[in-house]
Amino acid sequence: MEALSKFDLLNLPVFILEHVHKIVVKQKGKLGMAYRYFLTKLFKHLEISLRAGTVGTMKQPFSMYTLVECECMEGRPGQLSKKSQLVVEKRQLKHELEEMTALVTKENAEIALLKAQLAKEQTEASGSAEVTKLRAKSESLLAQNAELTEKLIKAHDAANDHLTLVIQSLTQKPPFS
């Protein structure tokens, strides 16, 4: 009770286990107060209403400050001891570290995703540059092919005209002499 009144931290589960061990083992169950009666007495002394509580974490220290913080008691605790202040600050820093770690992990995942997208876009861009070069080459080859086809057609036409003249000259009857 004195420790709680001074706002010192207590590890209540260990305290209860030691109390139960003392009653069961050392005193063989005689002349002892079971832990539930002990807690009832403790809560009555601290004027704590036994209503639905606040969920804590494992290994969370239990102190008068915790009771006020969880709104199990009314009032404002006095100055915390240096150790209690350090424990509270450590808890806050640990929570901030967990939040920062989660944020960094999220940011790293986003960076990896953006890098993958950038690599994909660069691949597509280099592919599209190659496609553009190939299309330009294809267009120049098609133009060259059209010119050669036109020349070939003109050459065939000229050859046909020449052949037509030869056929006409061969089919004409020679003049009588």
Side-chain angles (χ1 to χ4, degrees):
M1 299 296 180
E2 290 176 29
L4 285 174
S5 296
K6 292 179 185 176
F7 297 103
D8 288 336
L9 296 177
L10 292 177
N11 189 340
L12 194 56
V14 170
F15 187 73
I16 291 171
L17 288 173
E18 287 176 358
H19 180 71
V20 170
H21 177 60
K22 178 181 172 187
I23 292 172
V24 174
V25 176
K26 292 184 179 177
Q27 296 179 1
K28 298 181 182 176
K30 296 180 186 173
L31 303 171
M33 186 184 332
Y35 75 92
R36 67 176 174 253
Y37 297 116
F38 173 76
L39 288 177
T40 303
K41 203 166 199 163
L42 174 73
F43 292 147
K44 281 183 182 176
H45 174 76
L46 296 173
E47 299 173 356
I48 299 171
S49 64
L50 299 175
R51 57 178 175 79
T54 305
V55 177
T57 61
M58 289 182 66
K59 300 180 183 178
Q60 182 177 8
F62 184 83
S63 68
M64 190 72 125
Y65 180 79
T66 307
L67 295 174
V68 172
E69 186 181 50
C70 294
E71 299 176 357
C72 295
M73 272 184 66
E74 288 186 23
R76 185 172 161 257
Q79 287 291 334
L80 294 175
S81 66
K82 295 262 185 198
K83 183 179 177 183
S84 300
Q85 287 175 348
L86 290 174
V87 169
V88 170
E89 288 176 17
K90 179 183 173 187
R91 232 184 289 145
Q92 289 172 345
L93 289 173
K94 184 179 179 183
H95 180 70
E96 288 176 16
L97 178 65
E98 289 170 354
E99 286 180 345
M100 289 298 188
T101 303
L103 183 63
V104 166
T105 303
K106 179 183 171 188
E107 294 295 325
N108 284 341
E110 193 173 325
I111 288 170
L113 180 65
L114 289 173
K115 282 183 179 179
Q117 286 177 347
L118 180 62
K120 182 180 177 184
E121 288 174 4
Q122 286 176 343
T123 303
E124 289 175 357
S126 66
S128 65
E130 289 178 31
V131 167
T132 305
K133 287 179 186 177
L134 289 174
R135 282 188 180 154
K137 189 173 182 181
S138 173
E139 287 174 9
S140 69
L141 289 174
L142 286 172
Q144 193 177 14
N145 187 23
E147 288 176 27
L148 290 173
T149 304
E150 192 174 320
K151 284 182 183 179
L152 186 61
I153 290 171
K154 286 181 181 179
H156 279 282
D157 286 345
N160 282 341
D161 289 343
H162 184 66
L163 190 59
T164 304
L165 285 175
V166 169
I167 290 174
Q168 283 177 357
S169 65
L170 289 174
T171 55
Q172 283 183 354
K173 295 183 179 176
F176 292 103
S177 36

